[in-house]
Every structure is written in C-alpha cells, then in structure tokens.
Amino acid sequence: MENYSGRGPAVPDRVREWFGPHTTSAADWPLDALLLAKGPVTVSVVLPARDEQETVGEIVSIIRRDLVDAVPLVDEIVVVDSRSTDATAAVAAAAGARVVHQDAVLPGLPPLSGKGEALWKGLAASTGDLVVFADADLRNFGAHFISGLLGPLLTDPRVQFVKGAYERPLKGPGGVVQRGAGGRVTELVARPLLNLFWPELAGFVQPLGGEYAARRRVLEAVPFVTEYGVEFGLLVDLLERVGLDAMAQVDLGSREHSSQSIAALGKMSGQIILTAWSRLERQGRLVSSEPPATALLQFAPDLSTAVSDVAVAERPPLMSVVREAVARGPEVKEDVA
C-alpha cells in the first residue's frame, strides 16, 4: 500500500481507513443544516481564559452574534476566568458571556492550577448536551470554529468527540509569517509519542489544538490532566473509552494565536511527556522502579539557570465527583450545581 506522499514507509492501514471518512471541513457543515439537525440538543461553548482581555471579547461577540442571535445554534457561552490579573472577566461579561471564576466552581475541592483545571471547571459549570472548548487567545476567530466542530456530533450519533484541524502559522522576527511553522510542541513531542505508543491517533492533524467538542456524557467519564497535558490525555483516554471510529476531526482553516517562548514550550513539553508516561503506566505498558523526576532545568543565553516543576495533577471523571457529592447529602449539592 502506498502512503500519502508515495515515498517512505506506508501510512498504517488503520489510520488511512479512519482519516478519509472521519475528516471533514467546516464548509461541509452549513448553519441552516446544523440548526435542522440540532432539535432539542443543547450546546455549550466553554472558553478557558487567563489574561486574555485583548481577544476574549471579540471571540464572545462573534459567537453571540452569529451562533446565538442570528442562528440559535449555541445555548450558552461560558468563560472560565482562570485567575486573570487583567480585565478578562469584565470584557467577556460585557460581550455577552456568562463568566465563572475557576476557584468558585466546586469550591469544596482543593484548588488546582493549569489549563486543564479551567476546562474541567468549565465542564462542571456548563449545562449543554454538547460541549465545545475553544482557546480565548485566537486572533483570527470565526464562527466556523464552533459550527464546524458541531457538525459531526449533530448529524451522526456514533460520533462522540471531534477535534479541530488547521494550519498553524508562526510569526517570526519582524512579523514575518512562517506557514506551517506553528505547533512546535506538537511536531517535536506529541506527534512522535502518539506514533510510537498510540499509532491509531496518528491521523489527528492537531492533537494538542485547543478547539474540540464532545458529548457531555463522554467528557464527564474521563479524567482531566490539570496542566498542558490535558489535550494529550483526553485523546488517549477517549481512544480507550469510545474507540477511534467514534472520533473525528474537522478542518477549520488557519489558526493564529500568540506564540510562546521556547522556555514556556519546554515546560509544556515536560507536562505532555509526564501525561504520556502516566497513561502508559495506567494501561500496563510501562513498569518503572521509581517515578520520573519533575524538575526541569533550563538555561538562558547567558547560561543562567531556571528550574521549573512540570509535575501534572489530575481531576477525576466529573461524574464520579458529582455522584460522591450527591451521596454525601444535600449540604454539598450546591457545589455541583
């Protein structure tokens, strides 16, 4: 069998068989058709946001204008303010979102930090049958980022999870745009790990992308890593829970957002590697005599050093937390409302 390029090792049969039928474009899902398919299903859009006052307002405004007012596809927009120090919460609320503060959701639990924590709290605070996650720092956001992800879920009951695919340009020195140069952690860390240990997931174009959607009951049944390993962990855990054929991806075009420094990307990489390690252990595929170290030593150009802790915590499946709270009695029910 030939691979996509016609050279080198062939693309695994399982990936090729999955890719075609499970990969569509946002243009394949017009709003009028999605509205007809929606019926009584409710949709929540959840935006985790930390110090994103420059972009979150426009994103919320576009969703409200195009997908709430013009076409009633989205039922609620929830912005999770992840301990912002700027006007993120005020800007999001003024644009029409329901803003919840990360630490005010399920306040009976010990607070944790990180993107995954904000996503998990957003899942708890939202109510929709379908939940769409999107990053709040996008600079070229369009309503198709949301509607495209909803297409497979609204039209095919077999689909449980949909991931966004896109080109990720990188702005270099002087503002020069380098096409396809974004997603450095994806190409250097996540993609090799997936190909090595979970090759069925190799067909996902942007495994670490922040735009994806799923059925609530599925999201509530899997744990959330609280740091930047959350997207990697969700892919692996959902593969095990629902299987590859219940997963899909939609091409959303091009995605532009603020770029991180190499030092920040190094920390993210450490968190993703630790997330992969935890999944390999959990699946019985790795046995170690001691846990991996979590201290990351990095060097600046002047050879000064910085040490970061890249350990990742994990929230359990939300449904287990809700069941436990309800079992403990009415005094804690407000925490899971």
Side-chain angles (χ1 to χ4, degrees):
M1 181 185 70
E2 294 182 352
N3 72 344
Y4 295 141
S5 67
R7 299 178 297 171
V11 172
D13 288 346
R14 186 69 182 100
V15 175
R16 180 187 286 274
E17 291 167 359
W18 173 84
F19 190 92
H22 295 82
T23 303
T24 57
S25 169
D28 297 327
W29 308 109
L31 292 180
D32 55 351
L34 293 184
L35 189 59
L36 285 174
K38 182 176 185 285
V41 173
T42 55
V43 175
S44 298
V45 175
V46 175
L47 305 170
R50 182 174 185 178
D51 296 335
E52 302 295 354
Q53 65 178 14
E54 301 300 325
T55 51
V56 69
E58 183 176 4
I59 292 172
V60 171
S61 295
I62 290 172
I63 297 172
R64 177 158 290 281
R65 182 193 68 201
D66 296 347
L67 302 178
V68 177
D69 297 335
V71 178
L73 191 65
V74 169
D75 297 282
E76 68 172 350
I77 307 167
V78 178
V79 169
V80 183
D81 181 21
S82 185
R83 304 172 188 163
S84 295
T85 58
D86 65 3
T88 290
V91 170
R98 178 165 67 89
V99 177
V100 297
H101 296 277
Q102 177 176 301
D103 295 332
V105 180
L106 299 173
L109 299 177
L112 297 175
S113 61
K115 180 185 180 182
E117 170 77 346
L119 293 172
W120 191 78
K121 292 294 187 68
L123 177 62
S126 62
T127 61
D129 302 315
L130 305 181
V131 181
V132 185
F133 292 120
D135 286 346
D137 66 342
L138 300 186
R139 301 186 180 280
N140 65 329
F141 182 84
H144 67 285
F145 275 69
I146 305 301
S147 59
L149 294 172
L150 289 170
L153 290 167
L154 288 173
T155 59
D156 188 346
R158 296 170 296 181
V159 175
Q160 305 294 309
F161 174 83
V162 181
K163 189 82 176 178
Y166 28 67
E167 179 197 6
R168 297 179 68 176
L170 176 67
K171 284 191 177 181
V176 177
V177 175
Q178 304 172 54
R179 292 192 58 186
R184 291 163 287 176
V185 175
T186 292
E187 301 306 327
L188 297 174
V189 180
R191 197 176 307 286
L193 283 170
L194 291 175
N195 277 266
L196 286 169
F197 300 111
W198 297 278
E200 306 98 313
L201 297 172
F204 280 95
V205 176
Q206 296 292 349
L208 301 185
E211 287 65 53
Y212 45 96
R215 302 190 189 279
R216 170 173 295 277
R217 63 178 180 270
V218 170
L219 291 172
E220 290 184 346
V222 292
F224 276 54
V225 172
T226 60
E227 301 290 345
Y228 278 102
V230 59
E231 279 87 15
F232 191 99
L234 284 174
L235 267 187
V236 172
D237 292 343
L238 288 170
L239 173 67
E240 186 174 27
R241 183 166 189 87
V242 303
L244 186 62
D245 287 333
M247 305 169 78
Q249 64 183 343
V250 176
D251 183 358
L252 303 177
S254 178
R255 179 186 190 271
E256 299 175 13
H257 67 129
S258 54
S259 298
Q260 299 281 351
S261 68
I262 291 295
L265 295 179
K267 297 172 188 175
M268 294 179 192
S269 298
Q271 292 169 348
I272 290 164
I273 291 169
L274 287 172
T275 300
W277 180 287
S278 70
R279 270 56 192 167
L280 289 169
E281 280 194 315
R282 193 169 299 168
Q283 293 176 0
R285 303 170 63 186
L286 182 153
V287 179
S288 59
S289 59
E290 58 185 49
T294 62
L296 176 65
L297 174 64
Q298 295 175 298
F299 291 88
D302 63 359
L303 298 187
S304 61
T305 61
V307 178
S308 303
D309 184 2
V310 295
V312 293
E314 187 173 294
R315 288 296 193 187
L318 184 62
M319 65 171 57
S320 68
V321 175
V322 172
R323 280 199 304 264
E324 180 182 350
V326 171
R328 293 206 318 262
E331 71 277 5
V332 296
K333 286 185 179 179
E334 290 186 2
D335 285 355
V336 298

